[in-house]
Amino acid sequence: MLLFVLLVMMMVSWTEAGYTGGVLTHTSKDVQENSFTVVFRFKFGFSSCGELETWICSGCTKKIDESSGEWCLGEYTVRGSSSFYNYYYGSWSSTWINNTNGVSSGLAQMFIEGRKRSDINRANSSPQTGILPVMRVPSNCQRNINLLTFDPDGDHVQCRHGSNPSNYECYTCTPPSVLSLSSSCSLSFSPTSSSDEGSYAVQLMMEDFPRQTITLTRYDGYTTSISTSSSMSRIPVQFVFKVDPAAPSCTAGEYLPRFLPPTPEHGAQFFIDINEMIEINIRAEATQSVITELLFSGPVNMTKNSSGSGNFTLRWTPSDIDNEESHPICFAVQATSVSDLIRSC
């Protein structure tokens, strides 16, 4: 069985103790009569790996990557069987790092449609997306961030800010004042003043909608129909958006890095077999800065290597347990200004 590997690329440069965001997704597979296998993936970030490792249970959270002293990203995976039932959900709560929009208590919950769909003869799978725990932009630079919006079932995907405490989408639902969000899951940042610099908690909900009216069948045979205006899943996409002091230049490739070939394009898809290694080569440049590292979010056990400044490789080999799943990968390069290096000596 082939697997999807999905890419989202970001140019960022890189925060206080606590939660820095996360993404919850679920995949339905292995249908047998009135039941199926469901895989929940909880990716979440904290300001240290010590917090990450002990947050749910010691030893059951696997580290993915870290930006030393700033954030640590890991994954907690649950696999089990479920009958074709109505809605169910998975969630977590924690305490955000200090942020400008006043969000302290964090809540992330996904809502899952578990009945059999008439168009695919299995339960719904959520959209697949990825994000780094902290994204940084200079206060004087226009930036557009297009989130990955791949849906394994071919559904239409939309995004909105979490806005309903009674439905456990968030406790304090104040969106960042410096970001605008489109329903197509694009975030836009416009140049702003130094008074807006700081960290913001971003709490989004990503939803998938069927492209035609379909019938949903419960384990006991009860059916109902839903239209294209009814969401099937609602998953949280949360991260820290940090507005830094102004950069000397906003031109990509000078102080801020830019990607070069053979780096795959944003949204690229790869089809690979079980036990087949995927290798993703990444190259970036910044003429007025020194590129220091690659940061990524992806499958557990993915490795990264560097072969010189601005040259990186991600490698991963899926096993049988990854069969019939889609795995989003996002990455960013971090750079340090040459003038900063001189001042630090």
Side-chain angles (χ1 to χ4, degrees):
M1 176 67 73
L2 293 175
L3 291 85
F4 281 114
V5 176
L6 315 160
L7 296 185
V8 56
M9 301 183 300
M10 291 171 285
M11 285 295 191
V12 297
S13 166
W14 289 162
T15 180
E16 310 101 358
Y19 176 61
T20 58
V23 176
L24 283 67
T25 61
H26 66 90
T27 301
S28 301
K29 59 183 186 179
D30 300 333
V31 176
Q32 295 184 359
E33 297 183 352
N34 288 326
S35 66
F36 60 95
T37 299
V38 61
V39 181
F40 301 101
R41 295 190 182 276
F42 300 75
K43 282 189 172 72
F44 48 89
F46 282 90
S47 56
S48 72
C49 290
E51 291 176 276
L52 176 75
E53 291 167 359
T54 60
W55 180 62
I56 292 182
C57 56
S58 180
C60 63
T61 300
K62 296 185 178 180
K63 175 184 164 183
I64 295 173
D65 197 17
E66 69 175 308
S67 179
S68 182
E70 295 179 314
W71 57 259
C72 189
L73 177 68
E75 179 178 282
Y76 176 64
T77 304
V78 179
R79 294 176 174 85
S81 296
S82 178
S83 59
F84 290 110
Y85 199 65
N86 293 22
Y87 256 81
Y88 52 102
Y89 60 87
S91 65
W92 78 60
S93 60
S94 191
T95 302
W96 279 92
I97 65 166
N98 294 333
N99 56 82
T100 303
N101 50 327
V103 180
S104 55
S105 296
L107 175 65
Q109 180 159 271
M110 61 177 166
F111 298 80
I112 303 155
E113 172 57 66
R115 291 169 288 189
K116 183 185 288 188
R117 297 175 50 158
S118 59
D119 55 343
I120 59 175
N121 286 318
R122 66 175 184 272
N124 188 64
S125 294
S126 74
Q128 302 295 308
T129 190
I131 195 74
L132 296 176
V134 177
M135 298 188 62
R136 299 176 81 158
V137 298
S139 60
N140 60 323
C141 296
Q142 170 73 38
R143 283 293 177 267
N144 294 316
I145 303 166
N146 298 313
L147 299 179
L148 182 66
T149 56
F150 176 79
D151 188 86
D153 306 320
D155 297 325
H156 177 60
V157 178
Q158 294 185 353
C159 289
R160 58 178 173 80
H161 290 289
S163 61
N164 196 335
S166 64
N167 278 346
Y168 304 104
E169 292 181 357
C170 44
Y171 287 130
T172 303
C173 300
T174 308
S177 59
V178 296
L179 281 176
S180 61
L181 172 68
S182 72
S183 61
S184 61
C185 302
S186 178
L187 291 159
S188 178
F189 171 79
S190 297
T192 188
S193 67
S194 59
S195 62
D196 290 322
E197 292 171 4
S199 298
Y200 296 81
V202 181
Q203 303 173 102
L204 307 180
M205 298 300 294
M206 184 177 286
E207 304 174 286
D208 57 344
F209 299 80
R211 295 186 181 273
Q212 60 186 11
T213 298
I214 61 174
T215 300
L216 300 174
T217 303
R218 204 165 61 183
Y219 70 94
D220 58 4
Y222 179 80
T223 63
T224 187
S225 295
I226 65 168
S227 69
T228 56
S229 61
S230 298
S231 64
M232 304 283 289
S233 301
R234 302 198 297 276
I235 64 169
V237 181
Q238 301 180 348
F239 57 95
V240 171
F241 186 79
K242 191 167 185 180
V243 180
D244 282 335
S249 169
C250 295
T251 302
E254 294 183 0
Y255 290 90
L256 304 179
R258 69 173 175 179
F259 287 120
L260 301 172
T263 309
E265 296 292 328
H266 173 86
Q269 297 182 17
F270 296 86
F271 300 85
I272 58 174
D273 291 306
I274 296 299
N275 298 319
E276 175 188 353
M277 185 184 74
I278 183 171
E279 183 174 283
I280 301 171
N281 294 307
I282 300 159
R283 185 175 171 228
E285 72 170 4
T287 58
Q288 304 302 312
S289 299
V290 175
I291 295 176
T292 55
E293 65 179 328
L294 174 78
L295 301 169
F296 76 96
S297 171
V300 170
N301 298 325
M302 173 168 271
T303 62
K304 64 178 179 180
N305 299 98
S306 174
S307 57
S309 179
N311 292 279
F312 305 94
T313 303
L314 292 172
R315 294 185 179 92
W316 178 62
T317 302
S319 62
D320 290 340
I321 204 168
D322 301 302
N323 195 18
E324 297 184 60
E325 295 185 48
S326 304
H327 295 271
I329 300 168
C330 64
F331 52 83
V333 289
Q334 178 167 278
T336 300
S337 164
V338 173
S339 60
D340 287 343
L341 288 174
I342 294 173
R343 283 197 297 269
S344 68
C345 294

